[in-house]
Amino acid sequence: MADVKALVAKMTLEEKAAMCSGADFWHTEAVERLGIPASMVSDGPHGLRKQDLKADHLGVNESIKAVCFPAGCATAASFNRELITRMGEALGEECQAEGVSVILGPAVNIKRSPLCGRNFEYYSEDPYVAGEIAAAHICGVQSKNVGTSIKHFLANNQETRRMSSTSEAEERTLREIYMPAFETAVKKAKPWTVMCSYNKINGIYAAENRKYLTDVLRGEWGFDGYVMSDWGAVNKRVEDLKAGLDLEMPSSGGINDRLIVEAVKNGTLLEEVVDQAVERILNIVYRFEENRDKTAVFDRDVHDVLARKVAEESIVLLKNEGVLPLMKSEKVAFIGKYAEAPRYQGGGSSHINSSKITSALSMATGNANVSYAKGFEDDKDVINEALMEEAVTAAKQADVAVIFAGLPDAFESEGFDREHMRMPECQNVLIHEIAKVQPNTVVVLHNGSPVEMPWEKEVKGILEAYLGGQAVGAAEYDILFGKVNPSAKLAETFPLKLEDNPSYLDFAREEDKVVYREGIFVGYRYYDKKKMNVLFPFGHGLSYTEFSYSNLELGAEKIKDTGKLTVRVDVTNSGAVQGKEVVQLYVADRESTPARPVKELKGFEKLELAPGETKTVTFELDKRAFAYYDESLKDWYVESGDFDILIGASSRDIRLKKSVQVESTVRLPKTYTLDSTLGDLQADERAYGYVKKYVDAYYESMLGDNTGDAGAEAISRQMQEAMAKYMPLRGLLSFADIVSLSELESVLRQINQ
Ligand code: BGC
């Protein structure tokens, strides 16, 4: 291993400053004099976008041919850690073969709104799923000695004004919703690098946010790689460096290097800070270089097969009223442009130059029972009467119509947010018209995030294919015809309409301040709390078989928050075909002082079961499964009490439930003042011991004369008690001559000691 410290010691200040930013769009600096090589990074996340010639961060110029795997929206729906690790391994192999040291991604920002233009790259509205899938992805890539760059840290949940807006969220919201995916991935999978986001967090640019880049990321979570900026996210280079931003990308053309040199020379920046950043960068450069597999080649066809497998596990069967799977003997009309040319990836920096694209229609070659009508164009949202007529005729003549619809590129992409949640009107009209003439209609959707479905009741089947990568057509075909049993589940809620979404009032406005007013109530955490109907709930996804759940067992009835709880449940394939089920575990705090979601996902396992087969799933829950983030404690805290352990096939299909009592071993730091209410003091047994005699005397004085009939006395006492509950301690001074100010102050000192 190269002696990085010794190398840094030999570098001049100018060389070190230069190392802190890219040599060009995709490379770190080389120092020939010292034999330090340049190192290449490239986009990701779901394929390798290596540009050999003209570089850009928008996916405009050509990159090498690579395999386009399903995008994050789809891979999360697989709920299959092992499969996503295999996908990561394939990406790592491609990077080894192409000499790329770090593949940028995974992208784990939380889907605050269905409208975020980059939702297709992101995993989920739920931080637990996002963290688990991210960790699986990272483990896969890095097992091939190639780094990842988990992004975009932090709270980058919209594209509108992404480089100037500030995401205004409470610390608890950040800790419970927006940070855990990063936290889990950093702790479990140790990404080699982290990419900071463009936006500000509570007024401070991510790039210069010492609290998150250093105190939390390194201090609390133990990150030991380098932090790079998103492309162009650097604001004040010297401040950013001090905050913990090691590598600026891409190059600043030498401008920022000079600022660093100047700052060291004029004493406003310690040279050790520069040394530390350079050391972190070089550690990763050498980790890759010294483990290079120079003989590596990658087989695009083998990876294409894997991309197909991932797509098969990522397509969600949303609805099926006996129409699927199709039979080979049925006459099937494939309708819609995406049967022939599927939309399988999104626009922007993740855009892959795919090695091959398989459409569902190409899979039907040789199947004389499948006909095709294009139905719509997707460059403009206008009804093409001729195409529509042809499609309606094809649908009438068939036994089943399968419409391949979805969002065109122009509707969702990096760089802008969607303005609404609708599909193009021309496609909605087409679906209505087909459904009128063909009772057996199925819709296959190609989109990176939820759409409204005004035709949902008119069709018998809906498959959500998301942006399923280059092999999506093969996976769709095999699912439609039952060769593959669908097994994916939604990693996000499909609301009935956009206005139902909790961020609706505060999302992507033309102002830089974005207030996360909904707090922790994102996705199902909100819809559940509000008892709202949704189109399809989080965790939903059907299969061609049935699963039954039994024998839920908890390892204990009572645990301490320092302990662990084992949860076991049996799952049986009670249907007729082989299938996979995603077993979901949610935890519900029955009663809590702060507002908490009705339930939160804290575990999932995907199982494969033959017909009649039963398997036992085991989960282990620790403190974090029960805790909320307490801002006074600045840590995770479990409020003692009863928690329900819910096992379900979706967030709205809970099959089994048992409860456990969890006891806290931590006392919240509380300081009482004259303004503390009697009720709060009363709730704290220890504190109340000190003031009880005064409160009793207060009641006595207020109620002592009330010797009327029993009923009046009861009402009066109840009322007095209610009023006393919210009365500040100082109230004892104004309402009765019971205690003096100095006595109360002395009591407070004792309580607070
Ligand atoms: C995107 C990143 C991407 C980078 C390099 C930026 O605009 O936000 O996700 O990795 O460009 O292309």
Side-chain angles (χ1 to χ4, degrees):
M1 172 78 191
D3 186 347
V4 168
K5 271 197 195 310
L7 275 175
V8 176
K10 284 185 203 150
M11 291 168 78
T12 64
L13 177 58
E14 287 70 18
E15 283 167 344
K16 289 187 285 193
M19 186 60 69
C20 293
S21 66
D24 59 27
F25 220 82
W26 300 118
H27 293 89
T28 59
E29 284 282 355
V31 184
E32 269 176 41
R33 179 178 84 79
L34 298 170
I36 298 174
S39 192
M40 183 171 202
V41 303
S42 276
D43 279 309
H46 49 263
L48 177 59
R49 186 173 75 94
K50 181 191 173 191
Q51 291 183 315
D52 273 339
L53 303 165
K54 210 160 175 275
D56 69 87
H57 65 306
L58 306 169
V60 177
N61 294 305
E62 182 101 333
S63 50
I64 61 149
K65 285 267 182 231
V67 175
C68 179
F69 288 90
C73 55
T75 50
S78 78
F79 280 83
N80 189 334
R81 298 178 183 88
E82 188 260 331
L83 184 64
I84 301 312
T85 296
R86 274 165 55 203
M87 171 177 145
E89 287 163 4
L91 293 171
E93 279 169 16
E94 298 196 14
C95 292
Q96 274 293 351
E98 289 292 335
V100 170
S101 70
V102 173
I103 179 163
L104 308 175
V108 303
N109 298 91
I110 293 296
K111 300 182 190 205
R112 180 175 173 243
S113 160
L115 298 186
C116 172
R118 275 186 111 167
N119 274 1
F120 72 90
E121 279 184 73
Y122 299 151
Y123 289 132
S124 182
E125 68 189 22
D126 178 87
Y128 180 79
V129 186
E132 291 294 308
I133 299 295
H137 173 111
I138 294 168
C139 286
V141 174
Q142 295 190 171
S143 71
K144 300 290 169 187
N145 281 312
V146 169
T148 53
S149 194
I150 187 167
K151 63 190 188 179
H152 309 86
F153 190 60
L154 173 70
N156 173 197
N157 309 96
Q158 64 181 49
E159 290 299 281
T160 307
R161 308 179 78 90
R162 67 175 174 168
M163 297 181 88
S164 58
S165 63
T166 170
S167 302
E168 301 280 308
E170 286 175 350
E171 184 69 7
R172 179 178 169 208
T173 300
L174 292 171
R175 295 279 180 166
E176 290 188 25
I177 304 293
Y178 297 97
M179 284 158 78
F182 292 97
E183 179 182 3
T184 302
V186 167
K187 288 181 174 167
K188 273 195 168 180
K190 295 197 162 293
W192 290 11
T193 81
V194 168
M195 187 191 291
C196 82
S197 57
Y198 286 124
N199 54 289
K200 297 173 189 167
I201 304 131
N202 293 320
I204 303 174
Y205 270 113
E208 65 186 63
N209 210 312
R210 188 182 166 85
K211 174 173 175 187
Y212 297 112
L213 291 191
T214 296
D215 302 347
V216 173
L217 187 61
R218 293 185 190 275
E220 293 182 29
W221 301 346
F223 173 67
D224 62 2
Y226 70 76
V227 176
M228 72 173 90
S229 70
D230 197 344
W231 269 233
V234 161
N235 170 40
K236 295 191 190 117
R237 185 59 185 113
V238 173
E239 293 316 306
D240 296 1
L241 198 59
K242 287 184 193 164
L245 182 94
D246 306 301
L247 177 66
E248 169 179 9
M249 286 305 284
S251 155
S252 71
I255 298 171
N256 284 342
D257 305 354
R258 286 193 285 281
L259 288 182
I260 292 174
V261 171
E262 255 168 51
V264 172
K265 288 192 173 154
N266 69 25
T268 50
L269 174 67
L270 292 174
E271 190 160 354
E272 291 87 90
V273 174
V274 186
D275 290 354
Q276 192 180 46
V278 174
E279 197 179 312
R280 288 171 183 157
I281 296 166
L282 289 183
N283 277 335
I284 299 298
V285 168
Y286 281 103
R287 196 181 292 176
F288 175 69
E289 274 307 315
E290 294 182 350
N291 294 295
R292 258 316 281 284
D293 176 2
K294 295 220 166 101
T295 59
V297 280
F298 77 93
D299 187 330
R300 295 190 175 84
D301 293 331
V302 171
H303 289 182
D304 180 66
V305 172
L306 180 60
R308 176 174 177 170
K309 175 83 194 128
V310 179
E312 287 168 0
E313 292 221 12
S314 303
I315 297 178
V316 192
L317 178 58
L318 293 177
K319 175 174 181 175
N320 187 18
E321 287 177 350
V323 67
L324 292 176
L326 305 172
M327 285 177 296
K328 280 270 154 67
S329 56
E330 282 174 312
K331 283 176 73 183
V332 183
F334 276 9
I335 291 167
K337 183 176 174 179
Y338 299 147
E340 186 188 358
R343 179 153 180 273
Y344 65 93
Q345 67 169 329
S349 60
S350 68
H351 200 88
I352 306 303
N353 184 0
S354 309
S355 64
K356 174 180 170 184
I357 302 156
T358 307
S359 68
L361 190 61
S362 69
M363 293 291 292
T365 315
N367 182 348
N369 277 341
V370 174
S371 64
Y372 172 60
K374 194 174 187 184
F376 63 86
E377 296 285 4
D378 70 347
D379 51 346
K380 282 199 263 355
D381 184 7
V382 276
I383 295 171
N384 182 320
E385 295 293 351
L387 291 182
M388 169 95 81
E389 217 180 289
E390 184 196 21
V392 170
T393 309
K396 269 189 200 156
Q397 287 166 355
D399 300 317
V400 185
V402 182
I403 308 173
F404 294 77
L407 294 177
D409 277 325
F411 273 56
E412 62 180 345
S413 161
E414 179 177 344
F416 61 88
D417 296 307
R418 288 200 285 164
E419 280 168 16
H420 55 75
M421 223 176 80
R422 298 188 297 276
M423 285 181 24
E425 194 47 23
C426 69
Q427 293 189 36
N428 282 336
V429 171
L430 177 75
I431 299 171
H432 285 306
E433 292 303 312
I434 300 287
K436 272 188 208 157
V437 300
Q438 177 49 266
N440 297 316
T441 294
V442 175
V443 177
V444 182
L445 289 169
H446 305 75
N447 45 300
S449 54
V451 290
E452 287 166 21
M453 301 184 198
W455 34 259
E456 188 259 325
K457 297 265 179 305
E458 297 157 36
V459 302
K460 281 198 179 152
I462 305 172
L463 268 183
E464 175 54 77
Y466 278 115
L467 300 185
Q470 65 180 42
V472 70
E476 287 168 353
Y477 191 83
D478 286 346
I479 287 179
L480 285 169
F481 284 95
K483 193 168 163 201
V484 168
N485 189 353
S487 63
K489 303 264 186 174
L490 292 179
E492 62 190 327
T493 308
F494 276 47
L496 283 166
K497 57 182 191 305
L498 176 65
E499 292 77 3
D500 291 348
N501 179 264
S503 74
Y504 176 68
L505 297 175
D506 283 294
F507 183 78
R509 301 157 60 83
E510 276 308 333
E511 48 193 12
D512 278 334
K513 194 164 165 181
V514 186
V515 186
Y516 288 33
R517 286 186 220 279
E518 69 286 358
I520 57 166
F521 295 101
V522 172
Y524 68 88
R525 287 167 169 76
Y526 176 78
Y527 303 116
D528 278 2
K529 197 81 176 175
K530 297 272 291 185
K531 295 193 168 73
M532 288 168 81
N533 286 333
V534 296
L535 186 56
F536 296 108
F538 176 87
H540 169 76
L542 305 171
S543 162
Y544 294 151
T545 188
E546 300 278 329
F547 299 98
S548 57
Y549 289 66
S550 58
N551 301 329
L552 172 60
E553 271 176 35
L554 306 190
E557 282 172 7
K558 193 174 170 181
I559 57 164
K560 287 214 160 66
D561 63 0
T562 43
K564 294 212 160 109
L565 180 72
T566 311
V567 178
R568 274 195 198 85
V569 64
D570 290 344
V571 183
T572 305
N573 181 344
S574 42
V577 289
Q578 179 101 3
K580 290 188 177 179
E581 172 70 325
V582 178
V583 182
Q584 300 160 43
L585 185 156
Y586 297 85
V587 174
D589 190 354
R590 281 210 195 155
E591 226 179 276
S592 62
T593 307
R596 294 195 69 179
V598 174
K599 61 179 180 295
E600 296 181 273
L601 185 76
K602 296 295 173 184
F604 65 80
E605 286 302 330
K606 192 168 194 174
L607 301 178
E608 178 154 28
L609 294 165
E613 191 184 6
T614 299
K615 280 185 185 162
T616 305
V617 196
T618 307
F619 300 95
E620 197 177 62
L621 302 178
D622 62 11
K623 177 174 177 178
R624 279 291 284 273
F626 303 97
Y628 70 88
Y629 188 83
D630 187 276
E631 296 200 14
S632 67
L633 194 63
K634 294 197 169 37
D635 202 352
W636 297 90
Y637 175 71
V638 179
E639 202 175 22
S640 297
D642 292 333
F643 291 77
D644 286 332
I645 307 298
L646 310 167
I647 300 289
S650 103
S651 66
R652 295 259 170 119
D653 182 9
I654 299 300
R655 305 286 181 87
L656 298 167
K657 168 170 136 178
K658 273 207 167 151
S659 80
V660 61
Q661 204 184 324
V662 186
E663 193 192 316
S664 175
T665 54
V666 177
R667 202 154 59 88
L668 286 182
K670 269 199 189 147
T671 307
Y672 294 97
T673 66
L674 286 171
D675 292 333
S676 299
T677 65
L678 297 185
D680 286 347
L681 282 155
Q682 212 155 4
D684 179 341
E685 218 177 298
R686 191 193 62 91
Y688 194 58
Y690 290 93
V691 291
K692 186 172 182 308
K693 63 174 184 214
Y694 306 121
V695 180
D696 285 349
Y698 162 74
Y699 284 138
E700 203 51 39
S701 74
M702 298 307 283
L703 304 169
D705 292 344
N706 193 346
T707 50
D709 64 272
E713 186 183 338
I715 290 164
S716 179
R717 179 165 279 277
Q718 191 185 12
M719 185 192 79
Q720 289 293 337
E721 282 177 4
M723 286 175 67
K725 187 176 172 192
Y726 300 117
M727 188 172 82
L729 193 56
R730 63 181 150 73
L732 296 180
L733 300 172
S734 17
F735 291 115
D737 186 18
I738 299 163
V739 58
S740 70
L741 176 61
S742 61
E743 264 176 281
L744 271 191
E745 282 171 343
S746 135
V747 162
L748 277 170
R749 272 195 296 278
Q750 290 175 54
I751 296 178
N752 289 330
Q753 240 168 32

